[in-house]
Amino acid sequence: MADTIDSLTDKIDEVKLANNANEELEKGEPSTQVQLSKCPNGFVENLDDQQTEAETNEKDELPTTTEDCDIFWGFSLFETYKMAMRFYKANEGKRTFTMTYHDKVFLAALTKQVSSGPYANQTSLPEVGYLDLFGRDRRKVWDDFADMSSNDARRKFIEKLNESVSVFAPFMVAHQKEQEEIERLEAIKRKEDEAEKEKERLRLAAEEEERLKLQKDKEEQEKVQQEQLRQKQQLMAALNAQTHAQFQQYAAQQHPGNPEKQAQLISLLQEQHYQQYIMLCMQQQQQQLQQQQQQGGECSSSQAVPSSATSPTKSAAAVVEEAQAEQQQIEDADEDASDEGSEESTVQIAEASIWTRPQIDEFKQQIKRDPDSVLVIGRGEVVTIRVPTHEEGAYVFWEFATDHYDLGFGVMFEWTDAAGHEENYISVQHGETTDEDTEDEDPNDPERGIGDRSSSHPPVDEIVPVYRRDSHVEIHAGSHRYPGRGVYLLKFDNSYSLWRSKTLYYRVYNTR
């Protein structure tokens, strides 16, 4: 019976308290929304009023005095107070959160002191309800604070909460560790960013240094190329002055009545003559070096090399004089050889000089200017280019390349009097075998002498054996000094290919 009476009394009190709260709202209580809850000791406290005060403090009141420099668990006074308020509101009413009534009143009064200032300065506070014992006690404690500053109120709030709630200190320690971890990660990130910036700076500096170096190297290379071009032009001018008449006569024979093609052919021949001249100078240099090594001479190789090879920048007159002297030596040697009699069996044939060089695409473009220098060799076919020796020449020179596939190549020398032969010009013969004219006769037969004239065909000596060359990769070139008067047979052998034709780009000429 007593329990029933107590229950009814509690309900009546709740109704009265609710009416009292509505009256406070109508009178202008600062809280925008009032939430009433019953404390364990039977008194009612206004929770949203405290929450509103804390939010107002967080937004509007910033610490401005030196008193807020206190550090609690690594946080400033202002930050620690905000965290304490959040902790208080989040955990109030839980089992682990046990506080006495007086401690709650004290903390509530401190929040009012922080948010509104001293109680004596308040002029528009609403009256406390008749049954609002918590509010009345809070105002009494608030009034006791007198002129306590807001920062002192924050300190007392933190100290009281720490003293009354045992789990508050671990809460703050956990946040302290989290904050330290955040700061540590930020410090690491800052160091990484600085290292990345430094690395980027060094990379840019290295790139700039490399760019300047490349620019300098390029400028030096351009200077060297210009000097080489100037020297080449001087040398070519001297050589062209010597051979212009001969090339003009040859071009007129090849393209009579066509000045444009004659000019193209002369330009091509002049370039070929220059290349051959450089090659011959290199060969002479190598021969002189070999002779010096064999003889054990003490002279340096630079003294033994012909001046035309080591000093291409000398005057055109000097080059012409040296070329004429070399030609005179060759002619004297030929006369001496012819005076020795007709015993050709004693003739010693020198080995051919063979080399390769790159720039195959440029070479093909040059050769395409003269359509007669481009041949298509059919599958299983052998093409022979007959090159008679020239009365004023001493060497034969050849260069060739192909498209996409290799090609067999060799050189033979036919002992024929080219001067009295009807074919005193370069000709091309197509055939189905490697040598139709020598089908029944082996030119390499040791029983057949070099000077053997008993056969119905002129004797032939092998200068370069026929075998497959990678002429689609590099330019294959060579030269050979005349062993006497006759016709060079340049064999281009595609007899091994049963399915593919080959496109041949070649040039061949006689030179001094």
Side-chain angles (χ1 to χ4, degrees):
M1 186 65 178
D3 295 338
T4 303
I5 294 173
D6 293 336
S7 177
L8 292 173
T9 302
D10 291 339
K11 290 182 179 180
I12 293 171
D13 292 338
E14 290 177 0
V15 173
K16 289 180 179 181
L17 289 174
N19 293 334
N20 187 26
N22 291 331
E23 291 176 0
E24 290 182 358
L25 285 173
E26 293 174 358
K27 291 179 181 179
E29 184 73 9
S31 175
T32 58
Q33 182 179 0
V34 178
Q35 179 180 356
L36 301 177
S37 64
K38 193 170 183 179
C39 299
N41 55 9
F43 295 99
V44 177
E45 60 177 340
N46 192 335
L47 298 178
D48 283 339
D49 187 25
Q50 299 176 20
Q51 183 177 0
T52 303
E53 292 167 357
E55 293 174 353
T56 302
N57 176 60
E58 292 177 2
K59 295 178 181 179
D60 301 333
E61 185 174 354
L62 296 174
T64 57
T65 65
T66 57
E67 297 179 356
D68 63 344
C69 296
D70 297 345
I71 302 300
F72 299 86
W73 295 283
F75 298 97
S76 66
L77 174 62
F78 187 72
E79 293 175 339
T80 307
Y81 176 73
K82 291 195 297 183
M83 296 174 67
M85 285 295 297
R86 287 197 296 268
F87 174 80
Y88 181 80
K89 288 185 290 185
N91 293 279
E92 187 180 10
K94 295 182 180 179
R95 293 183 179 180
T96 56
F97 195 86
T98 57
M99 295 183 64
T100 63
Y101 173 77
H102 295 291
D103 291 340
K104 291 183 178 182
V105 171
F106 186 78
L107 293 177
L110 287 174
T111 60
K112 298 297 289 184
Q113 185 74 12
V114 171
S115 61
S116 303
Y119 177 76
N121 297 338
Q122 310 301 318
T123 58
S124 59
L125 291 176
E127 294 183 1
V128 181
Y130 178 75
L131 297 178
D132 188 4
L133 299 180
F134 185 85
R136 187 178 294 109
D137 293 340
R138 180 183 60 187
R139 288 193 177 183
K140 183 179 179 181
V141 176
W142 184 12
D143 187 28
D144 292 341
F145 291 153
D147 295 333
M148 179 186 297
S149 66
S150 60
N151 286 338
D152 290 338
R154 290 187 181 93
R155 291 189 191 92
K156 289 186 176 295
F157 184 91
I158 296 169
E159 294 170 357
K160 190 65 176 178
L161 186 62
N162 185 38
E163 178 184 348
S164 303
V165 181
S166 59
V167 295
F168 177 66
F171 169 80
M172 293 302 299
V173 170
H175 278 73
Q176 180 185 11
K177 297 296 183 183
E178 181 181 0
Q179 184 66 23
E180 291 175 353
E181 181 66 16
I182 292 174
E183 292 177 354
R184 186 184 69 83
L185 294 177
E186 289 178 351
I188 293 175
K189 182 170 178 46
R190 281 196 301 271
K191 290 182 179 180
E192 290 177 351
D193 293 342
E194 292 175 358
E196 188 67 23
K197 290 180 180 179
E198 181 66 15
K199 182 179 179 181
E200 181 68 13
R201 186 187 67 80
L202 294 176
R203 184 185 67 81
L204 293 176
E207 288 181 354
E208 180 66 16
E209 183 179 357
E210 183 68 18
R211 186 187 67 81
L212 294 176
K213 182 180 178 182
L214 292 176
Q215 183 178 359
K216 183 178 179 181
D217 294 343
K218 183 178 179 181
E219 293 175 354
E220 293 179 355
Q221 185 177 4
E222 289 177 353
K223 291 181 180 178
V224 172
Q225 290 177 352
Q226 291 176 358
E227 180 65 21
Q228 292 177 349
L229 180 60
R230 186 182 65 82
Q231 295 176 0
K232 178 181 177 181
Q233 290 174 350
Q234 291 179 353
L235 182 58
M236 287 190 68
L239 295 175
N240 294 343
Q242 179 185 2
T243 59
H244 179 73
Q246 179 182 356
F247 290 162
Q248 181 69 36
Q249 181 181 2
Y250 176 75
Q253 293 176 357
Q254 296 295 321
H255 303 287
N258 193 336
E260 183 178 355
K261 286 191 175 181
Q262 289 179 12
Q264 293 179 356
L265 180 57
I266 291 173
S267 177
L268 180 62
L269 292 174
Q270 288 174 345
E271 178 66 25
Q272 293 174 350
H273 185 223
Y274 170 78
Q275 296 291 340
Q276 175 65 5
Y277 181 80
I278 296 299
M279 294 300 176
L280 290 175
C281 290
M282 294 175 61
Q283 293 175 12
Q284 292 174 2
Q285 180 182 10
Q286 294 176 357
Q287 292 174 1
Q288 293 290 344
L289 290 175
Q290 292 176 357
Q291 291 177 1
Q292 287 183 357
Q293 292 176 357
Q294 292 175 358
Q295 297 174 359
E298 297 180 356
C299 297
S300 62
S301 60
S302 61
Q303 296 174 349
V305 176
S307 58
S308 59
T310 58
S311 302
T313 59
K314 59 175 60 177
S315 64
V319 174
V320 171
E321 290 178 0
E322 292 178 358
Q324 291 176 350
E326 293 176 1
Q327 177 64 19
Q328 186 63 35
Q329 292 177 1
I330 294 173
E331 292 177 356
D332 292 343
D334 291 341
E335 291 177 359
D336 294 340
S338 61
D339 293 340
E340 290 178 357
S342 60
E343 296 180 357
E344 297 184 2
S345 58
T346 62
V347 175
Q348 297 294 329
I349 300 178
E351 293 184 0
S353 298
I354 300 176
W355 63 90
T356 61
R357 63 183 180 90
Q359 295 94 27
I360 188 169
D361 293 332
E362 298 176 2
F363 173 76
K364 291 178 182 178
Q365 293 299 326
Q366 281 185 344
I367 298 302
K368 285 180 180 179
R369 298 175 187 173
D370 182 13
D372 294 337
S373 296
V374 182
L375 299 177
V376 177
I377 303 176
R379 53 187 177 87
E381 186 180 23
V382 177
V383 171
T384 303
I385 299 178
R386 299 177 60 85
V387 185
T389 58
H390 197 277
E391 294 180 358
E392 298 182 0
Y395 290 86
V396 64
F397 173 81
W398 64 84
E399 280 185 310
F400 69 93
T402 55
D403 285 337
H404 309 304
Y405 305 103
D406 60 356
L407 183 65
F409 173 75
V411 180
M412 298 180 183
F413 187 79
E414 182 179 275
W415 295 89
T416 304
D417 186 4
H421 199 274
E422 295 180 356
E423 295 181 338
N424 56 358
Y425 57 89
I426 298 175
S427 62
V428 179
Q429 293 181 352
H430 294 260
E432 296 296 331
T433 63
T434 57
D435 194 356
E436 293 179 347
D437 296 336
T438 58
E439 181 177 1
D440 299 330
E441 181 179 345
D442 184 6
N444 296 321
D445 187 355
E447 297 181 358
R448 182 185 66 82
I450 294 178
D452 186 7
R453 295 289 190 269
S454 61
S455 172
S456 60
H457 300 287
V460 177
D461 281 312
E462 185 179 66
I463 306 298
V464 178
V466 177
Y467 64 90
R468 295 167 68 172
R469 322 276 174 159
D470 293 330
S471 52
H472 62 296
V473 179
E474 291 181 305
I475 302 170
H476 285 251
S479 66
H480 187 254
R481 183 166 182 168
Y482 293 173
R485 299 304 176 185
V487 179
Y488 281 95
L489 307 178
L490 275 62
K491 298 286 186 177
F492 293 95
D493 187 359
N494 195 34
S495 60
Y496 59 88
S497 181
L498 301 178
W499 306 104
R500 295 190 180 95
S501 298
K502 310 294 175 60
T503 301
L504 172 66
Y505 304 84
Y506 79 96
R507 61 185 173 193
V508 59
Y509 54 89
N510 297 291
T511 183
R512 295 182 182 179

